[in-house]
Amino acid sequence: MTYWIVWAGLMGLLLLTVLLNQFALGIWGTPLALLIAGLKSVLVATFYMHLRHSPGLIGLAAGAALLWIALMFLLSWADFLSRS
């Protein structure tokens, strides 16, 4: 039953993404899309990848991966802003 609820939540977020794409949101379009994508990834990682009930070492590895991705985005953004 839990998987069906999570699936329905993912479909709802997908529908929200498609509907928000129909409007001209200007500067808020990308942050909203990234927020929705982040919520979808949390749902998938928590329930479908079973991170909710996994041992601490698996959670530590997932956290390290998220930290690494955040660092790569930060460094890429810094490089982008430093160019003229």
Side-chain angles (χ1 to χ4, degrees):
M1 184 67 174
T2 302
Y3 291 123
W4 289 106
I5 294 171
V6 173
W7 180 80
L10 288 170
M11 291 300 110
L13 288 170
L14 174 64
L15 181 63
L16 182 63
T17 303
V18 171
L19 289 176
L20 285 178
N21 192 30
Q22 303 299 316
F23 300 106
L25 299 175
I27 196 168
W28 293 102
T30 301
L32 280 174
L34 287 173
L35 178 69
I36 294 169
L39 289 173
K40 288 189 280 190
S41 67
V42 166
L43 282 174
V44 168
T46 303
F47 293 100
Y48 291 126
M49 295 175 64
H50 304 287
L51 287 180
R52 186 176 184 194
H53 301 293
S54 64
L57 188 59
I58 302 295
L60 183 66
L66 287 176
L67 183 65
W68 183 254
I69 290 172
L71 180 66
M72 291 295 108
F73 274 113
L74 181 69
L75 291 174
S76 297
W77 186 249
D79 180 54
F80 175 74
L81 290 179
S82 67
R83 296 177 185 261
S84 56

